[in-house]
Amino acid sequence: MDEFELIRRHFAGLAPRGEGVVLGIGDDCALLSVPVDCELAISTDTLVAGRHFPLQTLPYDIGWKSLAASLSDLAAMGAEPRWFLLALTLEQADAAWLAGFARGLRELARRHRVALVGGDTTRGPLSITVTAMGLVPSGRALRRAGARAGDLVCVTGTLGDAALALRGIEGSEAGSGAPPEPELLARLNRPEPRVAAGIHLRALASAAIDLSDGLAGDLRHILEASGVGAVIEVERLPASVFLRQQLPTFASRLPLQLAGGDDYELCVCLPPERIDAASAGLAVPLTVIGHITAEPGLRYVDAAGANIEVPSHGYRHFE
Ligand code: ADP
Ligand code: MG
């Protein structure tokens, strides 16, 4: 038995008997049963070492974040997560690394009751691809298209923490400053996919996206898909205590909040009369940050309504 066969066995132990799993790990395909009144929502995300997470990131956190990124996509569509596939590329089979990775993966999988149903294992530079699958009642998924003029633009949680943590790590490695506090670091390494929020907002929102590359870039996807524009009031962008302490002025926070990336919050558009119902059912704060306009383009304004110049796009991989 080669070491990669051992890895496959390792992950086979990670898969509980999931709902709708006709056949799990072990054959050429998994067999999944999708209820007749549901659509299958499916999304894949790859995390490459040194690009999507710093090289010294703990294996536990890499496991967690790999699944979190894909679950966040399901959340943005209002889908209920059920199953996932794991494609692992590893330099070598390091037992301690694998144990930590599997623990992080298992912890988040358990919380969201998703079952690992298959995958692939190959040798090469460390990279992890998770394909997450979920269910959404037919015709009810939240899409990027659908935002209307007059809708409010809202975000869950706070923005900019992951980018602040990353900046802290880089700073401390360069010898300037202490490493980020554990709670802040968790915002980078163990994001909480907003699954419950997505399901709740599914009936109320007109459009949604999850924020992985930064609000500035991600909101543009909604605007383009919906054929509308937006005005964002930068002083309303929700900031955590960490962010406000380290960067007391909203202007200093803007680059991280708009283009830092890795927030894994949801950005949703909804008619103003639905905002109370939307906030009421949520465990996470929902903050109104602006509104949709018929006229295309994305404008940022201060509290007085004066235009503010900001970089026009989020984090992009091929720049
Ligand atoms: P095949 O060669 O037919 O693609 P493999 O030998 O790669 O099959 O995999 C055998 C079984 O183990 C399959 O069911 C596959 O889904 C599963 N598997 C392989 N790697 C992983 C992994 N990293 N995580 C979960 N399941 C895996
Ligand atoms: Mg096969």
Side-chain angles (χ1 to χ4, degrees):
M1 191 193 307
D2 73 357
E3 54 180 342
F4 284 83
E5 175 59 28
L6 280 171
I7 295 170
R8 284 191 277 276
R9 294 200 167 188
H10 197 90
F11 285 107
L14 195 149
R17 260 213 72 73
E19 209 179 310
V21 181
V22 177
L23 186 63
I25 292 176
D27 213 314
D28 293 312
C29 290
L31 297 173
L32 306 172
S33 174
V34 178
V36 285
D37 54 349
C38 284
E39 283 159 355
L40 180 70
I42 177 165
S43 174
T44 198
D45 255 304
T46 297
L47 267 63
V48 175
R51 170 157 281 278
H52 300 96
F53 54 87
L55 291 172
Q56 77 280 16
T57 306
L58 293 175
Y60 182 99
D61 292 339
I62 299 172
W64 177 293
K65 192 169 180 173
S66 315
L67 180 57
S70 285
L71 293 183
S72 179
D73 283 324
L74 294 186
M77 303 293 285
E80 197 171 301
R82 278 283 197 285
W83 313 290
F84 70 106
L85 298 167
L86 170 67
L88 258 183
T89 304
L90 301 169
E91 309 254 11
Q92 77 266 335
D94 174 332
W97 189 94
L98 279 164
F101 176 83
R103 260 190 292 119
L105 195 63
R106 183 165 49 226
E107 179 57 29
L108 189 64
R110 199 183 53 75
R111 290 191 192 190
H112 291 278
R113 302 175 63 217
V114 286
L116 178 64
V117 295
D120 192 24
T121 311
T122 55
R123 196 186 297 272
L126 178 60
S127 138
I128 303 107
T129 298
V130 169
T131 303
M133 291 163 275
L135 299 175
V136 61
S138 297
R140 302 266 306 281
L142 259 178
R143 303 183 185 202
R144 294 178 180 185
R148 299 275 190 87
D151 280 355
L152 300 176
V153 179
C154 313
V155 293
T156 59
T158 58
L159 304 180
D161 297 329
L164 182 67
L166 186 60
R167 186 190 269 188
I169 291 172
E170 288 166 357
S172 76
E173 277 174 355
S176 65
E181 292 149 85
E183 213 185 313
L184 178 62
L185 198 56
R187 294 278 292 155
L188 173 69
N189 289 332
R190 293 194 296 279
E192 293 284 352
R194 302 302 186 191
V195 170
I199 292 169
H200 170 68
L201 293 168
R202 181 171 76 199
L204 299 164
S206 51
I209 192 167
D210 73 311
L211 301 177
S212 50
D213 293 343
L215 179 72
D218 291 331
L219 177 56
R220 277 189 185 278
H221 297 312
I222 287 188
L223 303 184
E224 278 159 23
S226 302
V228 293
V231 175
I232 299 302
E233 291 176 48
V234 292
E235 288 171 58
R236 292 196 185 208
L237 296 177
S240 69
V241 179
F242 297 109
L243 200 68
R244 278 181 277 125
Q245 269 171 0
Q246 292 193 37
L247 300 167
T249 66
F250 81 85
S252 63
R253 298 193 287 264
L254 268 191
L256 297 184
Q257 294 203 286
L258 290 180
D262 269 0
D263 295 305
Y264 295 108
E265 297 294 346
L266 298 182
C267 174
V268 300
C269 302
L270 45 79
E273 65 274 15
R274 293 190 185 163
I275 186 66
D276 290 341
S279 309
L282 290 183
V284 64
L286 187 69
T287 307
V288 176
I289 58 168
H291 64 274
I292 297 292
T293 59
E295 164 196 342
L298 180 51
R299 270 201 307 130
Y300 297 93
V301 298
D302 64 15
N307 279 341
I308 287 188
E309 284 311 314
V310 304
S312 63
H313 50 70
Y315 182 80
R316 297 231 184 105
H317 288 285
F318 293 102
E319 264 168 14

